Amino acid sequence: AIMVMAVLGFSVPVFVVGYILAFVFALQLDWFPVQGYTPISNGFWPWLRNRNPKLHRLSGRVYVLGGALPAGLAILTITPFLTHGAGQKAGNALLGLLWLSTTIVGFRRARQGRIVEHREWMLRSFALIFAGVTLRVELPLLIAAYGGEFEPAYRVVAWLSWVPNLA
């Protein structure tokens, strides 16, 4: 059995593994589209919402109460102590306020049964989460653009890290 697996491991082209993964995750589990583009407006995992609405609601409550609200409040709490100027403070404060407000509006829309609006507002909330990821991608590029200077790059990235995510 071990020898058969070893021979198969060397003999089977890599794209066959891709076909198998597509079969399992797209066709059997329905986690991903088989091919092509699926708009993000359909949600991240529509299969979760469609197949297990209770788990969808639970994960939403965990996101709101355990993630977005505490993080948004944490952003607002640390903002006065930031040291890179008023622009950075304003960018961070607005990020925190927008994250809190989009999350609260999205949660309220779900509670009101306004599901299309709920989905739109929660997508905005998720977009704001990725400010930290975007910052880490953009900051080295901005430092390079500013000739190796950290301070001006950081002042710009305080805004640039989240504004494009909402576009």
Side-chain angles (χ1 to χ4, degrees):
I2 292 174
M3 189 60 133
V4 169
M5 292 304 292
V7 169
L8 283 175
F10 283 105
S11 302
V12 175
V14 174
F15 67 85
V16 173
V17 175
Y19 287 140
I20 294 169
L21 291 174
F23 175 76
V24 170
F25 288 104
L27 297 176
Q28 296 299 315
L29 297 174
D30 196 27
W31 286 9
F32 303 111
V34 176
Q35 67 179 23
Y37 171 76
T38 300
I40 194 74
S41 59
N42 289 349
F44 289 107
W45 289 322
W47 58 268
L48 176 64
R49 181 183 65 249
N50 296 336
R51 290 189 181 173
N52 198 336
K54 287 182 181 179
L55 182 58
H56 173 76
R57 284 190 289 275
L58 176 64
S59 66
R61 288 182 180 112
V62 168
Y63 168 75
V64 170
L65 299 174
L69 294 181
L73 292 172
I75 290 172
L76 294 176
T77 302
I78 66 166
T79 294
F81 304 103
L82 298 176
T83 59
H84 297 288
Q88 182 204 22
K89 289 180 181 180
N92 265 28
L94 195 52
L95 170 62
L97 290 171
L98 285 172
W99 197 5
L100 288 170
S101 61
T102 57
T103 303
I104 291 168
V105 170
F107 183 76
R108 292 190 68 215
R109 293 300 181 265
R111 301 285 296 169
Q112 295 165 348
R114 296 161 63 180
I115 301 306
V116 172
E117 292 174 46
H118 157 70
R119 193 174 305 147
E120 292 169 354
W121 282 100
M122 294 314 289
L123 285 172
R124 291 179 183 113
S125 177
F126 287 135
L128 290 167
I129 284 177
F130 287 99
V133 175
T134 308
L135 180 141
R136 281 154 184 84
V137 170
E138 292 173 342
L139 186 58
L141 301 173
L142 287 169
I143 290 172
Y146 279 103
E149 295 291 324
F150 176 80
E151 289 292 327
Y154 203 71
R155 286 188 196 113
V156 171
V157 85
W159 291 88
L160 196 58
S161 65
W162 62 267
V163 173
N165 293 0
L166 292 176

